[in-house]
Amino acid sequence: MAGAEAPSHASPEPLRAQMLAGAGQAMPVVAGVVVFGTVWGALAVQAGLSPLEVVLMSGLVFSGAAQFVAIELWSSPVAVGTIAFAALLVGLRHVLMSASIEPVMRGIPPRRAYAALFFMVDEAWAMSLRRAGQGRFTIAYYAGLSGTLYLSWLTTTFAGALLGGLVADPARYGFDVVFTAIFVVLIVGLWTGRRDLPSWAASALAAVACHQWLPGNWYIFLGGAAGMLTAVLLWSEKSQSDEVREAARAD
Amino acid sequence: MRIDPTALAAIVAMGVATYLTRIAGYWLARHFTLSGRVQAGLEAVPGAILIALIAPAAFATGVAESAAAGVALLVAVLRWPMLVALIASAAVAAGVRAVI
């Protein structure tokens, strides 16, 4: 992926240095991936995946949130449609992320950008935008950054899968609640201010109600849809300009 | 090591679905301009989905689950590492279950 010809806005640094810079900035994230990946690999094996299926999913999906949701829905036989649909819903944030990274990737041939976007996880996306803000984003930097994250996700989830059988009854040690804990931490990371409250409250209410009265996993989709609808209904030109002001202050 | 055909199908379908979300915004931004209202709705989706996922466990399952979620929330708000949130939640859930 570290292309031979550099994009037009490339910094004068050599390719190797750009890749190493990306890999270096990935290191703090890798520390988190070690925990996250090992826990996921262990839970995936307990949910019924083989270690080979664990590596395959990590390699083809490469999304912590989608993979945690998948093993929560994992059953025997596996509900292919439900799991794919859940991955689509959980991945909806990527739509916004890849829309916002498009200006950064204008100097890169589209075919290469489509390949690069396969590896776009939250952290790589955020760091790339920051790097672009400094005028130093290149595809080589991105390759070093996301390549490091990809390899660490593959190796740690596989390690977790091999170690996973060691914990026989997760509920006895409270391990079953780590799902909830991980999602709570991810949610807090998404918090942008009080304006999130109405949509989040609608989502929680709808999810609890649907979980109570509807079969299966409809509560996930209907809860999410309730939150999205609330945001759509509450949107106004004024809230839009507030957002612009907030963004300007953050800069 | 084994690979179950149905599991393989699920994994490939997940991979395709996730990849489509990763390129959709790039493709849209290259070709269209999204209205503010649509953008606001899309922006709310990740939080709304994650909340919907945990709400039944956090609010309507049991004391141990609610306590674990509360501890995770506290750790996350304090910006302590994810590992601390996982260990603290598991410990609190195990503790509450041992007492009740």
Side-chain angles (χ1 to χ4, degrees):
Chain A
M1 258 184 36
E5 81 267 36
S8 56
H9 58 294
S11 53
E13 298 165 66
L15 280 181
R16 211 177 103 88
Q18 295 169 33
M19 283 187 75
L20 284 177
Q25 291 194 354
M27 282 310 152
V29 184
V30 168
V33 169
V34 170
V35 178
F36 208 70
T38 317
V39 168
W40 182 79
L43 291 172
V45 166
Q46 282 161 17
L49 280 88
S50 71
L52 197 54
E53 288 163 355
V54 162
V55 179
L56 209 58
M57 192 188 282
S58 290
L60 288 179
V61 181
F62 188 37
S63 163
Q67 289 178 233
F68 268 103
V69 172
I71 62 167
E72 199 163 49
L73 301 176
W74 207 259
S75 54
S76 188
V78 181
V80 177
T82 308
I83 285 173
F85 191 50
L88 194 69
L89 291 177
V90 172
L92 273 182
R93 72 180 186 286
H94 294 136
V95 178
L96 286 164
M97 286 159 51
S98 71
S100 64
I101 209 170
E102 188 267 339
V104 173
M105 291 195 162
R106 281 208 188 128
I108 295 157
R111 207 196 276 169
R112 189 166 293 167
Y114 280 117
L117 287 169
F118 176 84
F119 301 92
M120 187 191 65
V121 290
D122 300 11
E123 294 82 3
W125 166 77
M127 288 178 173
S128 295
L129 287 185
R130 198 179 54 190
R131 185 85 169 174
Q134 302 160 351
R136 297 174 71 198
F137 176 85
T138 59
I139 198 71
Y141 164 83
Y142 181 88
L145 173 65
S146 55
T148 305
L149 295 179
Y150 188 71
L151 286 181
S152 63
W153 182 242
L154 284 187
T155 48
T156 57
T157 51
F158 186 58
L162 296 181
L163 299 170
L166 297 179
V167 184
D169 176 16
R172 190 174 153 206
Y173 304 98
F175 286 170
D176 57 320
V177 298
V178 298
F179 279 125
T180 312
I182 286 168
F183 287 130
V184 167
V185 174
L186 290 176
I187 289 165
V188 170
L190 289 172
W191 174 257
T192 59
R194 255 175 315 168
R195 67 200 166 88
D196 291 333
L197 270 182
S199 121
W200 289 15
S203 163
L205 280 175
V208 170
C210 294
H211 185 258
Q212 202 77 27
W213 290 301
L214 292 179
N217 298 299
W218 277 105
Y219 69 94
I220 303 171
F221 171 70
L222 292 175
M228 178 174 144
L229 264 179
T230 307
V232 167
L233 291 175
L234 289 180
W235 184 85
S236 66
E237 295 292 344
K238 187 193 156 293
S239 67
Q240 179 80 348
S241 59
D242 285 350
E243 245 173 70
V244 172
R245 224 174 298 130
E246 266 173 44
R249 214 179 304 136
D251 287 344
Chain B
M1 287 201 227
R2 72 191 157 83
I3 294 189
D4 173 69
T6 323
L8 180 65
I11 291 168
V12 171
M14 279 177 74
V16 171
T18 305
Y19 181 60
L20 285 179
T21 64
R22 283 188 170 130
I23 59 169
Y26 175 80
W27 185 85
L28 282 172
R30 274 176 65 86
H31 297 98
F32 301 98
T33 318
L34 295 176
S35 82
R37 195 175 282 278
V38 171
Q39 273 187 30
L42 277 176
E43 259 168 52
V45 166
I49 293 279
L50 292 179
I51 298 253
L53 264 168
I54 62 146
F59 301 119
T61 301
V63 180
E65 286 77 7
S66 297
V71 169
L73 179 65
L74 181 69
V75 171
V77 168
L78 292 172
R79 304 279 160 199
W80 289 353
M82 169 99 68
L83 180 60
V84 178
L86 300 189
I87 293 172
S89 304
V92 165
V96 172
R97 281 173 191 152
V99 172
I100 293 180

